[in-house]
Amino acid sequence: MPKSYIYIKDKEIPVIIRNYKNTNNIKMYFSGDTLNISKPLKLNIKEMFKYIKKDEDLIYNEYINIIS
């Protein structure tokens, strides 16, 4: 699956987005240096990015710990 990238602060973070029709929540976790996002099929990308923006500091800090 091709990677996309999100930009948080000064970092370009690789991300893989998967859609699931049987889930009601967004789940985010790192696998190596890639942020994996599982989201409900009905949730559009704009809404998903609002969720990511809310947890931006947490994602950034975890990414820094992984690549350090």
Side-chain angles (χ1 to χ4, degrees):
M1 179 171 283
K3 291 182 186 177
S4 299
Y5 294 91
I6 59 171
Y7 296 90
I8 298 178
K9 299 186 182 182
D10 62 339
K11 298 295 180 191
E12 180 181 65
I13 300 173
V15 64
I16 296 175
I17 301 168
R18 293 185 176 93
N19 295 302
Y20 293 99
K21 61 182 170 184
N22 294 331
T23 188
N24 295 321
N25 300 317
I26 293 178
K27 297 174 186 98
M28 295 187 292
Y29 63 93
F30 277 96
S31 177
D33 69 341
T34 302
L35 178 62
N36 290 273
I37 301 172
S38 301
K39 71 175 196 63
L41 185 61
K42 295 179 181 178
L43 184 71
N44 65 39
I45 296 293
K46 186 176 180 180
E47 292 297 319
M48 184 197 70
F49 278 112
K50 285 182 187 177
Y51 185 82
I52 291 172
K53 185 73 172 163
K54 183 177 69 170
D55 290 333
E56 188 174 77
D57 289 332
L58 178 67
I59 294 168
Y60 180 81
N61 291 335
E62 189 160 343
Y63 182 71
I64 294 300
N65 287 336
I66 289 170
I67 64 170
S68 298

